[in-house]
C-alpha cells in the first residue's frame, strides 16, 4: 500500500533517555513534515524538509533533530526526553509545499 | 499564537442531516486551506482543500466555502453518516510557498446521533 508509515506506533520510555521515531513515505513526495499533537488534540508543526532545506519551528527545543537519509525518509531523534515531550507525533508528506499533506498514523510517546 | 480557530468544540447532528463546521482564520496572507478528518487512533485524513482564488469547492458529499472578507472557512457534509464521526480540523498555509507547514485549528468533534 502507498502510505506514510511511522514506527514505532507506541513508545514508552524514561525521562532522560534518547529515542528515535522513523518515518517513510512511498508516495514519491518531495516534502516531509513532523507535527506534535498534545493531549488537547492541538496539532503543531515542528519541522518541514524539502530538497535538503530544513525549516524549523522556533518553539521546538534543540533536543529534537530531524534526519533525512533520503527523500523518502525523515526520522525524528529526541535527546534527553522530558515529561512534557509526551504526545502523539505525526509524520506527513506532500508532493510539493502548499499541496495536500498525507499523514501517518502517529507515534504515541509516553515518558515515565 | 495560533491563527486558525474553530467556533465549536463539539457538534452533534442527527444521522441523515447536513453538518456545517466553521472555522475562522486571522492571517489575511494565508492562501491555501485544508480540511482534515481525524478518527481515534489515526492520523489526520485529507478531505478537501481550497485556494484563496476560489470561494467554493465541492467534493463527494462535502463542500468547502471560503469567505476572505471575514476570514471564514466552513465545511459542509451532506447527509451525515455514522462514519463521519470524527474530529475535524481546518488548517491554513501562511503563504511563502508552504514549506513551513500547516497551521491547524483546535478541532471540532462531530457526533452523529441515530
Amino acid at each position: 500500500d502507498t502510505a506514510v508509515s511511522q514506527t514505532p506506533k507506541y513508545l514508552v520510555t524514561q525521562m532522560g533517555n534518547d529515542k528515535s521515531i522513523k518515518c517513510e513515505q512511498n508516495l514519491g513526495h518531495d516534502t516531509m513534515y513532523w507535527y506534535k499533537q498534545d493531549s488537547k488534540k492541538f496539532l503543531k508543526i515542528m519541522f518541514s524538509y524539502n530538497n535538503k532545506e530544513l525549516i524549523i519551528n522556533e518553539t521546538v527545543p534543540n533536543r529534537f533533530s530531524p534526519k533525512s537519509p533520503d527523500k523518502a525518509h525523515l526520522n525524528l531523534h529526541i535527546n534527553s526526553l522530558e515529561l512534557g515531550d509526551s504526545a502523539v507525533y505525526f509524520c506527513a508528506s506532500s508532493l510539493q509545499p502548499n499541496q495536500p499533506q498525507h499523514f501517518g498514523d502517529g507515534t504515541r510517546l509516553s515518558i515515565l | 499564537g495560533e491563527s486558525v480557530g474553530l467556533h465549536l468544540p463539539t457538534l452533534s447532528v442527527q444521522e441523515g442531516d447536513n453538518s456545517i463546521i466553521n472555522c475562522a482564520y486571522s492571517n489575511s496572507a494565508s492562501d491555501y486551506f485544508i480540511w482534515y478528518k481525524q478518527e481515534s487512533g489515526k492520523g489526520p485524513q485529507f478531505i478537501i482543500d481550497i485556494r484563496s482564488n476560489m470561494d467554493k469547492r465541492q467534493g463527494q458529499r462535502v463542500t468547502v466555502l471560503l469567505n476572505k472578507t471575514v476570514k471564514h472557512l466552513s465545511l459542509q457534509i451532506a447527509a451525515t453518516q455514522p462514519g463521519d464521526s470524527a474530529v475535524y480540523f481546518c488548517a491554513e498555509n501562511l503563504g511563502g510557498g508552504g514549506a513551513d507547514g500547516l497551521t491547524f485549528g483546535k478541532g471540532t468533534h462531530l457526533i452523529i446521533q441515530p
Side-chain angles (χ1 to χ4, degrees):
Chain A
D1 289 341
T2 56
V4 179
S5 57
Q6 307 178 216
T7 54
K9 188 171 176 67
Y10 299 96
L11 183 54
V12 181
T13 189
Q14 291 189 325
M15 209 164 44
N17 284 351
D18 303 336
K19 290 293 178 185
S20 296
I21 305 172
K22 294 185 177 180
C23 178
E24 175 182 5
Q25 55 93 7
N26 58 2
L27 298 165
H29 288 170
D30 289 333
T31 310
M32 295 185 73
Y33 311 83
W34 277 103
Y35 288 84
K36 178 180 180 181
Q37 187 172 45
D38 63 21
S39 58
K40 296 181 180 178
K41 296 282 191 185
F42 186 52
L43 270 160
K44 194 167 186 180
I45 182 71
M46 299 176 70
F47 306 99
S48 66
Y49 196 86
N50 174 262
N51 289 330
K52 298 186 180 180
E53 180 189 6
L54 177 66
I55 299 175
I56 302 171
N57 185 315
E58 61 185 13
T59 66
V60 176
N62 58 15
R63 299 181 294 103
F64 291 77
S65 57
K67 288 184 171 54
S68 180
D70 54 59
K71 202 172 75 166
H73 296 83
L74 185 66
N75 303 323
L76 182 64
H77 298 267
I78 316 169
N79 295 325
S80 302
L81 281 157
E82 299 178 358
L83 289 175
D85 297 333
S86 294
V88 182
Y89 292 83
F90 287 99
C91 177
S93 71
S94 62
L95 185 60
Q96 292 290 332
N98 221 18
Q99 290 196 351
Q101 295 182 18
H102 298 259
F103 284 76
D105 281 338
T107 295
R108 182 174 293 276
L109 174 63
S110 300
I111 310 301
L112 303 178
Chain B
E2 62 182 277
S3 64
V4 180
L6 291 168
H7 295 305
L8 290 173
T10 302
L11 176 64
S12 183
V13 298
Q14 293 288 126
E15 184 178 347
D17 286 352
N18 297 335
S19 302
I20 300 176
I21 302 172
N22 294 304
C23 179
Y25 66 95
S26 59
N27 194 325
S28 56
S30 295
D31 59 3
Y32 180 53
F33 304 87
I34 307 180
W35 279 101
Y36 282 94
K37 172 187 180 183
Q38 187 177 23
E39 296 172 293
S40 181
K42 302 266 187 179
Q45 177 186 355
F46 172 82
I47 301 174
I48 193 168
D49 60 356
I50 189 167
R51 298 194 185 272
S52 58
N53 60 352
M54 302 174 69
D55 53 21
K56 181 179 180 179
R57 192 154 187 241
Q58 287 185 295
Q60 187 177 11
R61 279 202 309 120
V62 294
T63 301
V64 56
L65 298 176
L66 175 62
N67 185 330
K68 294 182 287 292
T69 303
V70 295
K71 298 192 188 73
H72 186 267
L73 190 71
S74 68
L75 176 71
Q76 300 177 3
I77 305 173
T80 312
Q81 302 169 358
D84 295 328
S85 289
V87 177
Y88 289 81
F89 293 93
C90 64
E92 66 176 321
N93 181 281
L94 300 180
D100 50 352
L102 295 169
T103 298
F104 280 80
K106 288 194 178 110
T108 293
H109 186 192
L110 181 63
I111 299 170
I112 312 303
Q113 295 185 341

